[in-house]
Amino acid sequence: ISGVSQGAPAPSMFFQKIKVLLVEDNAGDARLVQLALRDAPGGTVELVQAERLAAALESLARDSFDAVLLDLSLPDSHGLATLSTLKEACPHVPIVVFSGLLDEAMAYQAVKAGAQDYLVKGQGDGYLMARSIRYAMERKHIEEALRKSREELELRVMERTAALEESNRRLREEIGERLHAARQLHMEHAFNAALFDTVGALIMVCDSQGRVVRFNRT
């Protein structure tokens, strides 16, 4: 990425058509974005504009987008709350904040809150804007892949843990059954021994060759 400059050939990821939702209430800024992205090298950018957060949420609900270019100051929402609401509505779509304020603290907070990038209006050209959007898509794709891998790993751990717990449960049951059987056998042996020594009749135990191996007191 660091080796890509405005004069360098665009990477292969640039040559694809993408659909971007521009959430911007200022008609002039929206027109500048449209012109900038139209002239940017690489694949075609289809731009759909929403002037309010409510309209953006409706667009996201009925259509799919590759990325969102978001102004934080809208008629029906302002600041990071705008980003939070939009991110909750489309957690799998990368969001690039497009602000008129050069505010490093706000940029940091926006990225920390889930934005993939923070662009300032009037700074940079269409190439930089398009590159930021496409890089945001790639970063989001990596995040989603990592999230999916983490969820799959957690699922396997849960399944393995459940299997081990079931094995432990069966082992405890088997140990309990064996202990119970051992107690029962001990009780039977004790009863037989008591009966053997207290019965009034003569009892002798011989082996297969007729040798006496045990006899009672009688």
Side-chain angles (χ1 to χ4, degrees):
I1 293 175
S2 60
V4 178
S5 63
Q6 189 165 350
S12 59
M13 58 174 281
F14 276 28
F15 293 96
Q16 56 177 321
K17 181 178 179 180
I18 61 174
K19 189 173 183 179
V20 177
L21 176 63
L22 172 62
V23 188
E24 171 64 71
D25 64 311
N26 186 294
D29 289 339
R31 179 60 178 169
L32 290 176
V33 172
Q34 183 179 21
L35 293 175
L37 292 179
R38 185 189 64 184
D39 298 333
T44 304
V45 178
E46 179 184 351
L47 201 64
V48 177
Q49 183 185 358
E51 296 182 354
R52 284 172 168 74
L53 178 61
L57 295 175
E58 292 177 0
S59 296
L60 289 167
R62 67 171 180 264
D63 203 354
S64 60
F65 293 89
D66 297 300
V68 175
L69 196 58
L70 174 66
D71 184 6
L72 296 179
S73 299
L74 300 171
D76 57 346
S77 185
H78 185 77
L80 292 178
T82 308
L83 173 62
S84 299
T85 302
L86 201 63
K87 186 174 182 297
E88 183 178 354
C90 56
H92 306 304
V93 180
I95 301 174
V96 176
V97 173
F98 186 58
S99 175
L101 299 176
L102 179 57
D103 188 337
E104 292 295 332
M106 176 63 74
Y108 173 78
Q109 292 297 327
V111 173
K112 187 177 179 181
Q116 293 294 325
D117 205 347
Y118 185 97
L119 299 179
V120 179
K121 297 178 182 179
Q123 292 190 0
D125 54 12
Y127 173 82
L128 294 177
M129 186 181 299
R131 186 179 69 173
S132 177
I133 293 173
R134 294 179 187 275
Y135 284 178
M137 291 168 53
E138 290 299 310
R139 286 193 295 270
K140 192 66 175 180
H141 175 73
I142 294 172
E143 286 181 4
E144 290 297 309
L146 290 174
R147 179 190 60 80
K148 184 178 179 180
S149 297
R150 184 174 62 252
E151 290 178 351
E152 292 176 351
L153 178 60
E154 290 175 352
L155 179 60
R156 288 197 295 269
V157 170
M158 290 176 59
E159 292 175 347
R160 181 59 177 166
T161 300
L164 289 174
E165 289 177 350
E166 177 64 17
S167 297
N168 289 335
R169 184 189 65 79
R170 293 179 180 177
L171 181 59
R172 288 193 297 270
E173 289 182 354
E174 183 178 351
I175 291 174
E177 291 173 357
R178 291 187 178 185
L179 288 175
H180 178 71
R183 285 194 295 268
Q184 291 293 108
L185 184 60
H186 177 73
M187 291 174 62
E188 291 178 3
H189 285 170
F191 176 78
N192 290 338
L195 182 64
F196 187 82
D197 287 333
T198 57
V199 69
L202 171 62
I203 301 176
M204 290 191 305
V205 180
C206 300
D207 61 15
S208 60
Q209 298 178 357
R211 292 175 298 195
V212 177
V213 296
R214 187 179 180 187
F215 53 88
N216 64 351
R217 295 175 181 175
T218 300

